[in-house]
Amino acid sequence: MVLALVEHEGGAVADTSLETATLAREIAAQEDESLEAIGFGTVSGETADRLGEYGVDTVHGVAHEGLTDYAPVAWAKSVRELVDAREPSAVVAPGTDRGNETIAHLAAIADLPLAANVVDVDAGDSYEVTRHRWGGSLREYAEIDADPNLLAIAPHEVAAAPAAEVGAATLESHAPDLDESDRLVRVERREEADTEGVALDQARVVVGGGRGVGSAEGFDKLEELADLLDGAVGSSRAAVNEGWRPHDDQIGQTGTKIAPELYVATGISGAVQHWVGCKSSENVLAINTDPEAAIIGKADYAVIADLHDVVPEINRTIREKHR
Amino acid sequence: MNTLACIKRVPETGAKIVLTDDNRSIDTTSLGFTISPHEECAVEESVRLAEETGGAATVLTLGSPEADEQLRTGIAMGADEAIHLETDGEEWGPRATATAIADEIEAVDETFDLLFLGNESADQVNHQVGVRVAHKLGLPVVTGIKNVERDGDTIVAEREDAGGSEIYELPTPAVLTVREGLNSPRYPSMRSKMQARQAEVTASTAERSDANDVTTIELETPESDDSPAEILGESAEAAEDVVSVFEELEVI
């Protein structure tokens, strides 16, 4: 059996968990084993049905009154109980904050190796995993040989695909034996972001600005374009280092990784550290004065001109055509 | 409050990565080095907290003798003490790294109230050393934090999530793994850099545990799948075509 850790909310399974389930199903197929999943909180029939579409046979819903709030050690211990009971050959988690954290706790508690940022697996007696390093600018082929093999999947690097044969997933309740110390670290409360508009990592359209924007005020026209496209504004590390944008806007290796339908990169040269944060974009339009800029070679569409001339004209054209 | 920041010597962000002939590691012969970006913020936060509370800040690294350079950068940024667990420069896996760090922390005759690590190193990106160190020391840990404040003896740590942030409260001592953006790391002055050259670094040879870890078989630089972009124009007159592309892509 292969066990996938899934995150869900309001009946919807997170995209990163569907990607995780997809790779976990491939591992299970290579091992000629079944795929099971573990989710926390109230796992609905709708969630189980969705996971069934991705080849999951059984969904273990972790039910515990102390787990209404996320608590990483409690999550990890719950997974470990299930690992002891079901003896999976692999545990596969999404490489999200919670996924990475939970499986790292599991690895530490069980004293097992963990391969993070995995994008492919060749399962045999041991697993040969392909994983990303340097934010994806380097690929590593590595071996992991443990019982079970613990893997965290790089977000947005594996395409989520439903199973060829769809079956219904059985929903089972898993009541872990936890004590208060397992919940010492937990989410005490949430705070909503005070920024308006769409979150950068959720946006369908992202308008990014780099050193070529030239100033904090220069981003005003990018904000306007993002508004017109119902999108979000992002930036390169250079613009953050200049103090023009907050770090929360940074796209790249040490910032946010985006996967929008359209990324409009303006005044950004496209260094590899930025590119690894935006390469999952479906379409990239680059606006840059330098025809030799790396981003031009990577983009689908390009305008070789000064963003300060082009972007206001784009904004004006959109307003005229779509008023 | 006494703090510790664990740092790693890594090639500079933006460096062109070339592999060694055996494709097992990065050819570092012509590279500049720095502190991993998240960990630069770990040092800054560690120094700030120690300064605010009248405590001492320590930097620790596990790495080649050349990593002394990054420890001295940490001192120039305000750290009071430096510990170097020297290796022969071979890459260590996260299990062996965490074991050596935790063993050293237990061995040092000092209590650290807060331990800062990067959420993940820039090069290996393993997302686990901080959690493993915390478990070995029996300490609470929160990963990936973007803000930290003290409320008496309680540490309030904040992590971003979709549309907002999660707030955690921890007793000390505790471990925090931090993300770039937590603060703006200071640039050391020339004077502090000169002083850091003379500072004492506690160095010892790190013993590598033989824990089963993920083993590198080969590294590869992915081939670029660059194909020429469709050039829509070379002046503001391209705006019409840009908007047509937006319409084709159904984003407006």
Side-chain angles (χ1 to χ4, degrees):
Chain A
M1 185 271 277
V2 172
L3 182 64
L5 196 159
V6 295
E7 296 175 275
H8 62 99
E9 194 168 335
V13 181
D15 289 347
T16 43
S17 290
L18 295 177
E19 296 163 8
T20 300
T22 302
L23 187 53
R25 185 182 73 234
E26 288 174 16
I27 298 168
Q30 289 175 37
E31 300 244 45
D32 199 19
E33 290 179 358
S34 64
L35 174 61
E36 299 186 6
I38 180 169
F40 290 80
T42 307
V43 179
S44 65
E46 192 183 340
T47 300
D49 289 347
R50 183 76 169 140
L51 291 167
E53 292 171 16
Y54 283 76
V56 174
D57 288 336
T58 305
V59 183
H60 301 274
V62 179
H64 192 283
E65 60 182 10
L67 285 179
T68 46
D69 301 309
Y70 170 65
V73 173
W75 275 37
K77 287 197 170 174
S78 303
V79 179
R80 193 189 187 191
E81 273 194 5
L82 202 57
V83 166
D84 289 345
R86 302 287 301 135
E87 299 183 342
S89 51
V91 180
V92 189
T96 55
D97 279 346
R98 290 183 175 188
N100 274 328
E101 188 173 52
T102 299
I103 203 160
H105 277 284
L106 175 63
I109 292 166
D111 197 22
L112 288 169
L114 157 64
N117 264 311
V118 171
V119 295
D120 198 14
V121 176
D122 187 359
D125 289 338
S126 62
Y127 284 11
E128 186 178 316
V129 299
T130 308
R131 56 181 297 265
H132 279 179
R133 288 173 50 169
W134 280 103
S137 49
L138 204 58
R139 193 178 289 143
E140 175 183 358
Y141 300 97
E143 187 180 53
I144 181 168
D145 185 4
D147 184 20
N149 288 318
L150 305 185
L151 313 171
I153 308 304
H156 308 310
E157 296 291 345
V158 176
E165 291 179 29
V166 174
T170 307
L171 186 54
E172 290 193 2
S173 182
H174 170 55
D177 182 15
L178 301 171
D179 58 43
E180 196 53 30
S181 67
D182 300 326
R183 297 180 58 250
L184 176 67
V185 175
R186 62 177 185 273
V187 175
E188 294 287 340
R189 60 186 187 279
R190 279 198 80 257
E191 285 181 2
E192 298 299 322
D194 53 8
T195 52
E196 291 178 3
V198 196
L200 186 56
D201 62 346
Q202 308 285 323
R204 281 181 65 219
V205 178
V206 173
V207 180
R211 197 183 299 281
V213 179
S215 66
E217 296 71 34
F219 274 86
D220 291 350
K221 51 182 79 70
L222 306 188
E223 294 274 8
E224 189 183 351
L225 177 56
D227 276 349
L228 290 166
L229 298 173
D230 288 329
V233 170
S235 74
S236 70
R237 192 168 194 251
V240 173
N241 286 347
E242 293 286 353
W244 302 337
R245 301 298 292 184
H247 182 271
D248 293 352
D249 284 0
Q250 184 175 316
I251 296 163
Q253 186 177 339
T254 52
T256 301
K257 293 193 169 57
I258 59 168
E261 290 174 27
L262 172 66
Y263 178 44
V264 183
T266 71
I268 291 175
S269 63
V272 66
Q273 286 71 21
H274 181 76
W275 182 247
V276 296
C278 64
K279 66 185 170 66
S280 299
S281 307
E282 286 177 37
N283 297 282
V284 176
L285 164 69
I287 300 175
N288 205 299
T289 51
D290 179 8
E292 303 297 322
I295 195 88
I296 304 295
K298 294 175 163 64
D300 303 286
Y301 307 94
V303 177
I304 312 297
D306 188 336
L307 72 97
H308 299 286
D309 300 331
V310 182
V311 175
E313 195 59 22
I314 294 170
N315 293 345
R316 192 185 61 77
T317 308
I318 294 174
R319 280 197 303 272
E320 281 186 1
K321 289 180 108 173
H322 296 270
R323 69 175 58 174
Chain B
M1 178 172 271
N2 293 333
T3 59
L4 174 79
C6 297
I7 62 175
K8 185 174 184 185
R9 174 184 169 88
V10 296
E12 276 177 357
T13 309
K16 180 168 171 52
I17 296 168
V18 177
L19 300 177
T20 52
D21 289 342
D22 65 0
N23 288 334
R24 295 283 298 271
S25 53
I26 294 170
D27 182 351
T28 56
T29 46
S30 59
L31 292 178
F33 285 84
T34 186
I35 297 172
S36 204
H38 295 317
E39 292 152 20
E40 212 175 12
C41 296
V43 174
E44 177 63 36
E45 203 65 25
S46 163
V47 168
R48 277 189 201 182
L49 273 168
E51 284 173 348
E52 274 173 31
T53 55
T58 302
V59 280
L60 179 152
T61 195
L62 178 134
S64 65
E66 290 78 14
D68 182 77
E69 180 190 348
Q70 279 62 49
L71 282 176
R72 292 188 191 278
T73 302
I75 295 169
M77 289 174 71
D80 303 282
E81 308 280 341
I83 300 171
H84 192 168
L85 302 174
E86 284 190 12
T87 69
D88 59 5
E90 286 283 307
E91 291 240 21
W92 286 27
R95 293 178 83 190
T97 301
T99 299
I101 291 172
D103 286 351
E104 178 66 17
I105 291 169
E106 282 188 325
V108 174
D109 187 19
E110 188 174 4
T111 305
F112 297 112
D113 300 294
L114 271 180
L115 278 59
F116 292 95
L117 295 92
N119 189 57
E120 78 272 5
S121 65
D123 54 353
Q124 291 215 39
V125 203
N126 280 312
H127 286 281
Q128 57 194 270
V129 172
V131 171
R132 288 184 188 273
V133 167
H135 276 270
K136 287 189 180 296
L137 297 174
L139 299 178
V141 54
V142 178
T143 64
I145 65 157
K146 287 289 278 284
N147 192 35
V148 56
E149 285 172 18
R150 279 185 316 123
D151 182 4
D153 292 334
T154 301
I155 295 300
V156 182
E158 190 176 330
R159 174 162 90 197
E160 285 183 354
D161 72 352
S165 54
E166 298 172 335
I167 313 294
Y168 296 83
E169 294 179 2
L170 300 87
T172 55
V175 177
L176 299 171
T177 81
V178 310
R179 284 224 169 92
E180 194 181 37
L182 170 70
N183 52 42
S184 298
R186 69 192 73 182
Y187 291 107
S189 65
M190 188 53 72
R191 180 183 160 82
S192 61
K193 281 183 186 172
M194 297 294 283
Q195 286 173 336
R197 282 193 201 167
Q198 309 301 323
E200 193 176 327
V201 170
T202 306
S204 59
T205 304
E207 294 296 327
R208 184 174 183 161
S209 63
D210 58 359
N212 171 24
D213 223 323
V214 179
T215 313
T216 302
I217 301 167
E218 192 173 33
L219 298 174
E220 184 180 88
T221 309
E223 276 188 30
S224 169
D225 52 1
D226 293 0
S227 53
E230 181 184 338
I231 306 294
L232 301 175
E234 299 190 355
S235 71
E237 288 175 12
E240 283 281 347
D241 288 339
V242 169
V243 175
S244 297
V245 167
F246 290 171
E247 288 166 345
E248 277 171 33
L249 298 176
E250 297 180 352
V251 294
I252 47 175

